[in-house]
Amino acid sequence: MKYYAPKGLYDIKPEDMPYWHAVEREVRSTMPLYGYEEIRTPIMEKTEVFARGVGEETDVVSKEMYTFEDKGGRSMTLRPENTASVVRAYLEHKFYGKEELSKWYYLGPMFRYESPQKGRSRQFHQYGAEAIGSSDPSLDAEMISLSTDLLRSLGLEEVGLTLNSIGCPEDRNNYVNQLVEYLEPEKDRLCNDCRARLDTNPLRILDCKEESCQKVVENGPEITDYLCSECQDHFDTVKGYLNQLGLDYQLDPKLVRGLDYYTKTVFEVFSSDLGAQDALVGGGRYDGLVELFGGDPTPAVGFAGGIERLVLLLEELERVEMKKNGLDIYLATLDEETKQTGMELVQELRNGGIRAEIDYLDKSLQGQLGYADRYGAEITAILGPRELTEGEITLRDMETGDQTTVSLDEFRSEITNRLDSES
Ligand SMILES: [Zn+2]
Ligand SMILES: [Zn+2]
């Protein structure tokens, strides 16, 4: 073997595809129920879109982006997430002048240079939704409800929700000042990364995975004690809607999310279907982002969910109804002449929506029947020279082994009937 996929990049193989299709189908059918239309942005943008939108000091921008110079000497970046691109598109096409509220969803690959591990690839896939143009707390609740609904429709039963508010930039400033004041004397107990974050991005210390850092933070000040009355009201109203919708949540004052653009509501949705809590979706409000890109102040809220981890979970749970990837009918032929007629018959079946296959490997009849069996054909048809002369074809039920002969004229309707009665 000479060529391998680059480190951290994986092929999604045909055998996994039914799960991917199930997720994609669910996204495409659930989003419109909530009024979201699909938007597709390019997989690369000018680097400044993410530097500005996601934040220079975030891990994503400072460590994890695939950035390169194109042949025109521009700095380009493969998108590490989609919200910044969506906001760029919103402003570029002046949607603020066309619709009062833009509700969009997306689905596609993102790229981050991270250390590869199970369920994490350097090319990963996300689905997500963005609603731009309203600060109404009911929209925050809708986002949360949409993201949990989607997971439940896929068969997850233990879907949980953690919730926090990180307030407006003023609240956060007040809080960060207090946090730094609290952390400064404890500096030596923080990990190297967090010591640096103390100067650049102290909020990120809250979700550091190092145990020593978690211990320090545990007794520190909490953001929810620093919310102004407007942010507190907003948070209370979101919680009120969630109660109304019967959605349980755990409050987590340490939940800040990794990206700079969030304001007010932040949330994560997880599944404990396999015991441990797997975060599958993250989101929140980002009221300042449109303005940061040079637009008028425009409130917005969104979420994104990772597909890799979801697919792993669904595969382990085996709860998705998998439409067998197999065959409806395999048509065995015995020589060049029957193959020619066979090709025509197979084409006719396919045109009628039936999954049909024929021999491409010059196999014997026995070999062809074995192939049909391996690929799960429900029916095998055999067209030999004698049948062809008589204008007939033999049908073999692969489960019972029963054989019957039908005329070529009735072939297609007979196949359709048999498949209908089996499904
Ligand atoms: Zn506030
Ligand atoms: Zn740390």
Side-chain angles (χ1 to χ4, degrees):
M1 240 308 291
K2 206 167 159 192
Y3 298 108
Y4 298 89
K7 186 181 176 199
L9 300 180
Y10 305 103
D11 301 307
I12 303 166
K13 298 191 277 296
E15 70 231 39
D16 295 320
M17 224 32 105
Y19 294 91
W20 284 80
H21 288 168
V23 172
E24 290 163 9
R25 228 175 12 245
E26 203 52 57
V27 170
R28 292 190 198 290
S29 62
T30 304
M31 293 289 186
L33 296 179
Y34 288 76
Y36 291 80
E37 295 178 294
E38 186 176 0
I39 181 165
R40 296 188 194 183
T41 61
I43 60 163
M44 65 178 94
E45 298 272 354
K46 288 182 197 153
T47 302
E48 63 217 47
V49 169
F50 304 115
R52 175 129 277 241
V54 181
E56 301 268 12
E57 298 301 337
T58 58
D59 284 355
V60 172
V61 172
S62 62
K63 296 182 192 160
E64 297 169 358
M65 294 208 303
Y66 278 93
T67 297
F68 59 95
E69 202 170 273
D70 74 4
K71 291 193 192 301
R74 302 170 200 90
S75 178
M76 306 294 288
T77 293
L78 298 180
R79 62 185 186 191
E81 57 100 64
N82 212 3
T83 303
S85 307
V86 166
V87 169
R88 193 266 309 138
Y90 173 83
L91 286 167
E92 178 171 342
H93 306 293
K94 301 188 173 62
F95 275 97
Y96 47 84
K98 295 180 213 167
E99 48 193 35
E100 288 167 276
L101 177 60
S102 298
K103 295 175 85 178
W104 295 335
Y105 78 87
Y106 60 82
L107 187 67
M110 315 287 156
F111 304 84
R112 288 187 199 177
Y113 194 82
E114 289 188 283
S115 37
Q117 49 175 262
K118 200 177 182 214
R120 187 197 280 168
S121 163
R122 288 177 177 176
Q123 173 178 330
F124 60 102
H125 297 74
Q126 286 188 329
Y127 63 92
E130 316 286 357
I132 309 176
S134 166
S135 60
D136 196 308
S138 62
L139 202 54
D140 307 40
E142 177 184 281
M143 276 294 169
I144 292 169
S145 159
L146 164 57
S147 59
T148 54
D149 237 31
L150 226 152
L151 297 176
R152 287 210 182 87
S153 320
L154 282 164
L156 300 186
E157 286 162 4
E158 309 295 321
V159 178
L161 168 66
T162 39
L163 186 68
N164 191 22
S165 172
I166 56 171
C168 54
E170 294 75 52
D171 304 344
R172 212 148 60 235
N173 263 340
N174 294 336
Y175 171 66
V176 166
N177 288 338
Q178 289 302 309
L179 184 65
V180 171
E181 206 167 288
Y182 165 81
L183 289 173
E184 202 62 58
E186 311 280 346
K187 205 171 174 172
D188 293 340
R189 293 168 62 201
L190 298 175
C191 71
N192 284 336
D193 282 348
C194 285
R195 244 170 277 158
R197 285 176 185 141
L198 207 46
D199 297 320
T200 56
N201 197 349
L203 270 188
R204 293 307 314 280
I205 299 173
L206 296 181
D207 55 15
C208 178
K209 299 283 174 276
E210 294 291 328
E211 206 180 322
S212 56
C213 300
Q214 286 182 358
K215 276 229 169 75
V216 175
V217 157
E218 218 168 58
N219 300 312
E222 295 187 341
I223 179 90
T224 34
D225 292 328
Y226 293 82
L227 300 181
C228 66
S229 65
E230 192 212 317
C231 290
Q232 186 64 55
D233 270 359
H234 184 95
F235 194 32
D236 290 341
T237 315
V238 172
K239 288 187 274 188
Y241 281 120
L242 293 177
N243 293 335
Q244 193 74 33
L245 292 170
L247 283 165
D248 291 335
Y249 51 83
Q250 304 167 358
L251 294 176
D252 179 4
K254 301 290 189 295
L255 178 68
V256 288
R257 308 278 309 140
L259 312 175
D260 272 1
Y261 50 63
Y262 286 115
T263 52
K264 292 183 178 164
T265 314
V266 288
F267 66 93
E268 281 183 357
V269 179
F270 60 86
S271 149
S272 37
D273 283 69
L274 284 181
Q277 291 194 358
D278 275 320
L280 295 172
V281 166
R285 190 160 266 292
Y286 50 94
D287 289 345
L289 189 56
V290 174
E291 197 179 0
L292 196 68
F293 273 99
D296 289 338
T298 309
V301 58
F303 79 85
I307 302 184
E308 271 78 1
R309 246 191 264 181
L310 181 55
V311 164
L312 272 180
L313 195 60
L314 294 174
E315 284 182 339
E316 287 190 48
L317 290 169
E318 296 178 343
R319 273 198 212 133
V320 176
E321 280 255 342
M322 286 303 130
K323 183 149 175 69
K324 231 186 354 179
N325 231 349
L327 270 178
D328 293 323
I329 174 165
Y330 184 91
L331 200 154
T333 54
L334 295 184
D335 58 17
E336 184 53 34
E337 213 179 327
T338 51
K339 172 88 178 258
Q340 285 191 6
T341 308
M343 285 291 281
E344 209 183 312
L345 292 171
V346 161
Q347 185 61 48
E348 250 178 67
L349 293 171
R350 288 170 175 168
N351 290 347
I354 292 168
R355 296 171 298 181
E357 274 285 26
I358 196 165
D359 175 44
Y360 309 101
L361 301 168
D362 204 18
K363 283 182 185 295
S364 67
L365 178 61
Q366 214 50 42
Q368 293 185 57
L369 294 179
Y371 186 97
D373 201 34
R374 278 197 302 285
Y375 283 82
E378 303 209 11
I379 305 167
T380 298
I382 304 163
L383 185 64
R386 187 185 51 78
E387 281 107 339
L388 186 58
T389 323
E390 311 265 312
E392 290 176 338
I393 189 162
T394 300
L395 300 184
R396 183 186 169 92
D397 185 306
M398 293 301 279
E399 258 174 51
T400 61
D402 290 347
Q403 296 204 162
T404 43
T405 303
V406 296
S407 78
L408 282 175
D409 295 337
E410 293 164 14
F411 175 57
R412 208 178 119 186
S413 59
E414 175 65 22
I415 296 296
T416 310
N417 286 342
R418 287 198 185 198
L419 291 173
D420 281 353
S421 67
E422 277 178 34
S423 61

